Amino acid sequence: MVRKLEKAINGEYSAIQCYEKLARMAPNETERKQILEIRKDEIKHFQVFSQLYINLTGNQLQPKVTEECPNSYKAGLEFAIQDEQETVDFYLETADGAAERSIRKAFRRAAADEQNHAVWFLYYFVKNK
């Protein structure tokens, strides 16, 4: 579980950085605001997973960017769609294997948010084609 939390924390940290970059590239205020709302969700997930990690290990993980964000808006959206979908699968698998209720709940909640994020990114990707 510790390794899965490390992966989740680094993934959320990477998404936080990437979505800040994507928001700056957004073609309009509406998309920028929605991407920043998604980024807020990622910050919440990062905080929850970091606390679970501290509870399990007694230590705080120093997060690192594990995936580089593309330098164009469209490529960034495509990257985000794929990343969010893969994250949903990882979070659901992790939730299913977690012994503690609080960990199961945190991963399931994050998985639902990630699925919602993927839909937003897909919408903007198709719209900006």
Side-chain angles (χ1 to χ4, degrees):
M1 186 52 65
V2 170
R3 297 290 165 248
K4 290 179 188 256
L5 280 167
E6 288 172 356
K7 180 177 177 180
I9 290 165
N10 287 327
E12 295 295 341
Y13 182 76
S14 298
I16 291 164
Q17 310 310 310
C18 185
Y19 299 166
E20 182 177 341
K21 183 177 178 178
L22 268 183
R24 285 193 307 267
M25 292 187 280
N28 59 61
E29 187 65 14
T30 302
E31 289 181 40
R32 187 184 74 75
K33 281 183 178 178
Q34 185 57 52
I35 292 168
L36 290 174
E37 280 298 313
I38 290 169
R39 185 175 178 272
K40 282 183 190 175
D41 286 347
E42 304 295 9
I43 291 168
K44 282 187 241 170
H45 301 158
F46 173 82
Q47 292 169 339
V48 168
F49 294 147
S50 293
Q51 189 58 56
L52 289 170
Y53 184 86
I54 291 167
N55 293 350
L56 281 178
T57 67
N59 297 311
Q60 189 165 356
L61 181 70
Q62 291 301 315
K64 58 183 180 259
V65 173
T66 54
E67 300 171 286
E68 289 300 321
C69 190
N71 289 320
S72 77
Y73 187 63
K74 187 162 181 193
L77 291 174
E78 188 171 17
F79 171 82
I81 295 163
Q82 184 172 349
D83 184 63
E84 295 285 337
Q85 285 299 114
E86 289 171 359
T87 300
V88 169
D89 292 340
F90 171 65
Y91 285 178
L92 289 175
E93 287 172 19
T94 302
D96 288 346
E100 288 186 39
R101 183 179 181 277
S102 62
I103 294 175
R104 281 195 309 273
K105 185 178 174 185
F107 275 98
R108 284 195 181 118
R109 174 60 206 196
D113 288 345
E114 302 296 323
Q115 186 65 64
N116 185 42
H117 300 163
V119 172
W120 277 111
F121 287 128
L122 179 60
Y123 170 67
Y124 292 138
F125 181 75
V126 170
K127 185 179 166 206
N128 286 284
K129 226 172 174 173

